[in-house]
């Protein structure tokens, strides 16, 4: 974990209520795809835990959704402003678990923490299919970026305005992508449906919970798992699907 | 420049290298932070509240934000006193030489006694801090901290079971006369007092028309409660002759000085750890320069001067 100040180099809307912020600064604590950052926003007591979408040696980016006052204030911030952020939080994905073909199922803002995972997978030569599930075409994020990484992308929308009409599980049933391991992040009912539909496969999920510290010291985000009580922030957010008690 | 040994304070017979202590429940068992910085900069560490049996605690959401603070209803999640004394504390002692404070909760006097005496057997535990002020569990905790008689009963029973260790009683601010409760604890044999624990608080999600916290109410803490905590520390410290650890909304080196001027011998930092996990270390580092600027040569000199 590292606490440092970062300079905003980019903060723009990429879909309805969804923003991409890029921060320049020390990224040495970010080790694995699927980790998150905890952002201090002036005027708000607690930090906002947000998934890291992508990072390199000089900067990292977060695709985030405005869900309350704190993220609304964040969305108004401008290039050149500074933010204090804790980085290197959470366990991250086990990208090595997929051997030759991976399935990555994302719902909504869940497309954000999967991005670097797919980059890793494709980089290792793992054939990767990304299923993106949204309500409407205008909600879709990162589709072109996922394609640019070299992943096969399947889109599902509830209203049928783009891709397959229906749920991500409908898209998986219809397209039958090949995979030996799956990863999923999105709303809990979606992840449960994915795990149920892929009951015979191995995979992992990234959970979300209201957090206090984000770094494992307050026990504010503990969930029941088959392995016992686990902190989503420090023991997770990624859990093997067998560990999750829905 | 103020020398490092001018930060030393004495709590009962223990010497702390400085008065800064992360408060129970805001720093895990210390071990969680061991990879982030060298814990030996801390005067003491108050460990996560422990009970006789393991507890999962309350369902999530356990956390809500407030202006200048937060509400928590973790509900004393802990692995039980046996794991505390056989695993957590010995592991912490390997990497930490300062004052280790075990924070103990219970649901009956018998349970407080059992849990505290088990902790007292652990040679690496320096102080037993008895939590009679947790607002987040039903049928116990705070119930013992809201009347002078009940507080005295717990204190006397625990002290009788732990004659060899300093016993601090952690008091609740959710009372009409904290001085009466503090005096009752002192009269019953307490070696010191920690105050204050959290205030009972609530937030409502107005869109969903229900409490933000699953447990409905929780403990309100953070910068917003500092003036309240300070006034209680000031009243109590001047009414008793045992040492007081000041707690509640402390977020800076300035706050530590203020708490000590109000009468605290040591100062616990709570919710601020959740905002800035490095804050205790930063406060310790900032204290000498602050003391210098205020003309304080030895931090002990300011205890209770206001």
């Amino acid at each position: 974990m590292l606490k440092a100040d970062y300079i905003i180099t980019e903060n723009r809307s990429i879909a309805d209520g969804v923003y991409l912020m890029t921060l320049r600064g020390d990224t040495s604590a970010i080790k694995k795809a699927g980790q998150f950052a905890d952002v201090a926003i002036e005027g708000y007591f607690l930090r906002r835990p947000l998934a890291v979408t992508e990072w390199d040696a000089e900067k990292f980016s977060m695709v985030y959704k405005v869900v309350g006052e704190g993220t609304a204030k964040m969305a108004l911030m401008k290039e050149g402003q500074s933010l204090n952020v804790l980085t290197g939080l959470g366990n991250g994905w086990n990208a090595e678990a997929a051997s030759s073909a991976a399935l990555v199922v994302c719902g909504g803002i869940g497309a954000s923490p999967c991005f670097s995972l797919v980059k890793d997978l494709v980089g290792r030569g793992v054939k990767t299919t990304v299923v993106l599930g949204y309500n409407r075409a205008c909600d879709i994020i990162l589709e072109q970026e996922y394609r640019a990484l070299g992943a096969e992308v399947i889109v599902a929308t509830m209203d049928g305005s783009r891709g397959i009409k229906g749920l991500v599980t409908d898209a998986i049933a219809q397209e039958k992508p090949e995979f030996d391991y799956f990863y999923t992040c999105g709303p809990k009912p979606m992840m449960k449906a994915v795990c149920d539909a892929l009951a015979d496969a191995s995979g992992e999920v990234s959970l979300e919970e209201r957090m206090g510290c984000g770094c494992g010291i307050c026990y504010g985000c503990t969930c029941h798992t088959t392995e016992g009580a686990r902190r989503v922030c420090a023991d997770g957010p990624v859990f093997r699907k067998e560990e999750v008690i829905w | 420049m103020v020398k490092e040994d001018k930060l030393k304070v004495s709590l009962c017979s223990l010497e702390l290298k400085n008065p800064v202590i992360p408060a129970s429940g805001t720093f895990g068992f210390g071990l969680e932070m061991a990879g982030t910085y060298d814990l030996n900069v801390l005067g003491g560490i108050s460990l996560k509240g422990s009970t006789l049996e393991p507890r999962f605690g309350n369902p999530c959401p356990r956390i809500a934000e407030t202006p200048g603070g937060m509400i928590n209803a973790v509900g004393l999640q802990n692995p039980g006193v046996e794991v505390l004394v056989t695993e957590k504390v010995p592991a912490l002692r390997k990497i930490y030489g300062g004052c280790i404070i075990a924070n103990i909760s219970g649901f009956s006097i018998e349970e407080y006694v059992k849990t505290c005496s088990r902790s007292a057997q652990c040679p690496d535990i320096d102080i037993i801090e008895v939590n009679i002020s947790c607002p987040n569990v039903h049928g116990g905790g705070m119930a013992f901290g809201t009347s002078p008689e009940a507080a005295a009963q717990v204190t006397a029973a625990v002290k009788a079971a732990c004659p060899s260790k300093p016993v601090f009683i952690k008091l609740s601010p959710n009372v009409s006369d904290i001085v009466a409760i503090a005096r009752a604890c002192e009269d019953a044999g307490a070696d010191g007092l920690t105050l204050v624990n959290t205030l009972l608080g609530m937030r409502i999600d107005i869109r969903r028309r229900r409490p933000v916290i699953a447990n409905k109410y929780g403990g309100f803490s953070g910068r917003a409660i500092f003036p309240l905590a300070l006034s209680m520390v000031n009243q109590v410290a001047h009414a008793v002759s045992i040492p007081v650890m000041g707690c509640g909304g402390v977020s800076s080196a300035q706050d530590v000085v203020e708490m000590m001027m109000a009468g605290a011998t040591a100062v616990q930092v709570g919710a601020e750890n959740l905002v800035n996990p490095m804050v205790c270390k930063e406060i310790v580092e900032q204290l000498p320069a602050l003391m210098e600027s205020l003309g304080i040569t030895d931090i002990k000199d300011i205890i209770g001067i206001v």
Side-chain angles (χ1 to χ4, degrees), chain A residues 1-3 44-48 67 86 209-213 215-224 229 231, chain B residues 25-28 32-33 36 48 56 60-63 65 68-69 74 77 212 222 272-277 282:
Chain A
M1 172 171 58
L2 175 76
K3 180 171 73 98
Y44 295 89
F45 188 73
L46 295 170
R47 291 170 184 264
R48 271 34 182 189
V67 292
L86 299 177
E209 191 48 78
R210 210 175 256 265
M211 291 176 185
C213 63
C215 61
I217 55 178
C218 80
Y219 291 71
C221 62
T222 305
C223 63
H224 285 288
R231 297 158 300 175
Chain B
T26 65
F27 210 70
E32 294 86 341
M33 283 298 290
T36 304
K48 179 135 184 55
F56 173 77
C60 285
R62 295 172 169 186
I63 304 285
E65 192 174 43
V74 170
Q77 180 187 340
V212 172
E272 195 67 20
N273 289 304
L274 278 56
V275 180
N276 175 7
E282 292 171 4

Side-chain angles (χ1 to χ4, degrees), chain B residues 168-191:
Chain B
F168 276 63
I169 309 295
K170 187 165 179 179
L171 302 183
S172 172
N174 301 298
V175 295
S176 51
D177 186 358
I178 196 165
V179 171
I181 293 167
R183 284 198 175 116
C185 293
E186 181 181 32
D187 292 345
D191 298 295

Side-chain angles (χ1 to χ4, degrees), chain A residues 15 34 40 72-73 96 105 129 151 156 189 195 197 239:
Chain A
K73 187 164 178 189
E96 307 74 26
V105 188
T129 306
C195 289
F239 294 89

Side-chain angles (χ1 to χ4, degrees), chain B:
Chain B
M1 194 64 176
V2 174
K3 291 209 175 72
E4 206 178 80
D5 68 342
K6 299 299 182 193
L7 291 178
K8 284 182 183 168
V9 294
S10 302
L11 266 187
C12 304
S13 55
L14 300 160
E15 187 169 80
L16 275 58
K17 69 194 294 186
N18 63 62
V20 181
I21 302 170
S24 178
T26 65
F27 210 70
F29 294 96
L31 301 162
E32 294 86 341
M33 283 298 290
T36 304
Y37 67 82
D38 182 359
L39 301 178
N40 288 296
V41 298
L42 303 171
I45 301 175
S46 183
L47 306 183
K48 179 135 184 55
S50 300
T51 50
L52 189 60
E53 303 296 334
R55 284 176 58 84
F56 173 77
N58 293 321
C60 285
R62 295 172 169 186
I63 304 285
E65 192 174 43
T66 73
M70 58 172 289
I71 296 171
N72 91 84
V74 170
L76 293 172
Q77 180 187 340
N78 78 94
V81 71
E82 213 44 51
V83 173
L84 175 77
V85 301
T86 59
E87 295 175 30
K88 301 291 186 185
V89 172
L92 179 60
R93 183 50 88 208
K94 278 190 186 146
I95 55 164
Y96 178 62
C99 177
I100 297 183
I101 304 170
N103 180 286
I104 304 298
S105 276
F107 298 87
S108 66
I109 289 185
E110 190 194 3
E111 200 180 325
Y112 273 109
V113 166
K114 274 189 190 166
T115 316
C116 290
S117 56
R118 183 72 188 93
S119 307
Q121 289 164 7
C122 177
D124 295 326
I125 292 174
D126 299 303
I127 291 177
I128 311 266
E129 183 175 66
V130 186
N131 179 7
I132 57 168
S133 42
C134 178
N136 289 330
V137 293
H138 297 288
M142 199 171 81
F144 292 101
T146 50
S147 93
E149 295 76 22
Q153 275 180 9
V154 178
T155 306
V158 167
K159 191 59 210 174
C162 312
S164 60
K165 298 263 177 180
V167 172
F168 276 63
I169 309 295
K170 187 165 179 179
L171 302 183
S172 172
N174 301 298
V175 295
S176 51
D177 186 358
I178 196 165
V179 171
I181 293 167
R183 284 198 175 116
C185 293
E186 181 181 32
D187 292 345
D191 298 295
L193 301 167
T194 303
L195 61 137
V196 297
N197 204 320
T198 55
L199 291 143
L200 197 62
M202 180 184 196
R203 292 307 303 268
I204 291 170
D205 182 330
I206 57 174
R207 271 182 294 250
R208 295 190 173 121
R209 303 181 178 204
R210 66 185 192 211
V212 172
I213 289 206
N215 201 42
K216 195 170 177 182
Y217 309 119
F220 171 36
S221 62
R223 293 167 209 162
I225 77 161
F226 181 70
L228 177 144
L230 192 72
S231 73
M232 289 187 163
V233 166
N234 191 237
Q235 291 173 58
V236 167
H238 287 93
V240 299
S241 55
I242 50 177
V244 168
M245 286 196 261
C247 182
V250 176
S251 68
S252 65
Q254 283 81 358
D255 292 349
V256 169
V257 168
E258 220 174 318
M259 267 289 183
M260 293 186 74
M261 286 183 171
T265 300
V267 180
Q268 298 192 353
V269 181
E272 195 67 20
N273 289 304
L274 278 56
V275 180
N276 175 7
M278 285 46 152
V279 71
C280 289
K281 177 180 184 279
E282 292 171 4
I283 288 174
V284 171
E285 289 164 354
Q286 288 159 7
L287 271 173
L290 178 63
M291 286 165 63
E292 181 97 6
S293 74
L294 297 170
I296 302 166
T297 49
D298 189 323
I299 205 158
K300 286 194 283 291
D301 296 343
I302 64 168
I303 297 170
I305 59 167
V306 175

Side-chain angles (χ1 to χ4, degrees), chain A residues 21-62:
Chain A
M21 179 183 276
T22 302
L23 294 165
R24 192 180 65 230
D26 186 345
T27 59
S28 61
I30 308 172
K31 304 288 185 200
K32 270 179 105 174
Q35 287 187 311
F36 64 96
D38 217 357
V39 182
I41 299 164
E42 206 184 330
Y44 295 89
F45 188 73
L46 295 170
R47 291 170 184 264
R48 271 34 182 189
L50 300 168
V52 170
T53 309
E54 203 179 6
W55 80 97
D56 63 25
E58 285 104 36
K59 60 187 188 302
F60 72 96
S61 62
M62 300 175 293

